[in-house]
Amino acid sequence: NAGVTQTPKFQVLKTGQSMTLQCAQDMNHNSMYWYRQDPGMGLRLIYYSASEGTTDKGEVPNGYNVSRLNKREFSLRLESAAPSQTSVYFCASSEEGKNTEAFFGQGTRLTVV
Amino acid sequence: KQEVTQIPAALSVPEGENLVLNCSFTDSAIYNLQWFRQDPGKGLTSLLLIQSSQREQTSGRLNASLDKSSGRSTLYIAASQPGDSATYLCAVLAGGFKTIFGAGTRLFVKA
């Protein structure tokens, strides 16, 4: 009963370092999403993948890249981390279509020093 | 541009009280609205999903309503319990596959 699994749960990076956040879902969902959550601002969409093989920018894509590796996996990469990217990152998935629930992972707490 | 606002930002109530959380959105052209619960340091748990053609959804002590024309949704929690203490987020699915979130209401239920 895994649902959406994110790794790692916590990470500390130095400014300029790179890293990839991993996300996998086992619900056979077509659509996957990456959000960041900052205090007082709610969740903001970074990138999404409506279906395997497609990715699109969300509200705050600058400084990030994504890969939809297959139907299960959707990764988020920070090429050169900056302190402004300190945040909690959430991956989510949903079935294709506009009347479906979104399911979320437990989050990755990233600190860039 | 779709914006979602939640009022109040924080709420403290005694156990047993009925309460209402509010969510408003600026563009009525939505596909659905979803209410989530988030516990500190945890992910989001879906509570209720209201499709654009629906007026309300109920699950146990929770009831969510949707008025698209006025751009408003409410989450009603009956007979609140200390275990209901959490942050409650509403989110609207608008154009494309983009879900727009409110900043949340932090609820504290005192025993």
Side-chain angles (χ1 to χ4, degrees):
Chain A
N1 194 22
V4 180
T5 303
Q6 292 182 234
T7 56
K9 288 186 170 54
F10 301 94
Q11 184 71 50
V12 178
L13 290 178
K14 294 182 179 179
T15 298
Q17 286 186 318
S18 62
M19 79 160 296
T20 300
L21 280 64
Q22 306 288 353
C23 175
Q25 51 91 9
D26 62 2
M27 296 172 282
N28 203 37
H29 285 166
N30 283 307
S31 302
M32 298 185 73
Y33 315 82
W34 276 106
Y35 293 89
R36 61 178 288 172
Q37 185 176 34
D38 301 293
M41 299 190 72
L43 279 78
R44 291 180 293 169
L45 183 64
I46 304 171
Y47 270 94
Y48 66 101
S49 171
S51 60
E52 186 180 355
T54 68
T55 61
D56 285 286
K57 295 179 180 179
E59 184 182 357
V60 287
N62 291 343
Y64 306 95
N65 285 300
V66 290
S67 295
R68 183 74 182 266
L69 303 171
N70 47 56
K71 191 171 186 179
R72 289 187 65 249
E73 298 173 289
F74 188 38
S75 63
L76 178 72
R77 182 160 179 83
L78 286 70
E79 290 291 351
S80 178
S84 61
Q85 294 178 304
T86 294
S87 188
V88 182
Y89 291 85
F90 288 99
C91 177
S93 71
S94 66
E95 293 180 13
E96 189 171 9
K98 297 180 172 61
N99 286 313
T100 58
E101 275 184 280
F103 294 85
F104 281 76
Q106 290 298 297
T108 296
R109 188 171 296 272
L110 175 68
T111 302
V112 182
V113 298
Chain B
K1 178 185 173 186
Q2 178 74 266
E3 294 182 358
V4 179
T5 303
Q6 290 187 247
I7 295 173
L11 182 63
S12 181
V13 300
E15 182 177 7
E17 190 163 300
N18 302 324
L19 60 100
V20 174
L21 306 181
N22 296 293
C23 173
S24 62
F25 46 95
T26 55
D27 187 346
S28 62
I30 65 169
Y31 294 108
N32 64 46
L33 184 145
Q34 195 167 355
W35 282 94
F36 294 89
R37 170 186 172 134
Q38 185 177 28
D39 293 288
K42 303 292 186 182
L44 280 69
T45 300
S46 177
L47 297 173
L48 290 164
L49 172 73
I50 310 177
Q51 299 179 10
S52 62
S53 59
Q54 297 176 319
R55 298 283 290 183
E56 66 177 339
Q57 283 283 345
T58 298
S59 176
R61 293 183 294 109
L62 305 180
N63 175 276
S65 68
L66 174 64
D67 183 343
K68 271 182 54 176
S69 61
S70 66
R72 297 172 68 176
S73 176
T74 61
L75 179 66
Y76 175 82
I77 302 177
S80 59
Q81 303 170 358
D84 294 331
S85 298
T87 296
Y88 291 81
L89 298 159
C90 76
V92 299
L93 179 63
F97 288 82
K98 299 179 182 179
T99 298
I100 310 298
F101 282 81
T105 293
R106 197 165 57 251
L107 174 65
F108 180 64
V109 181
K110 298 171 286 186

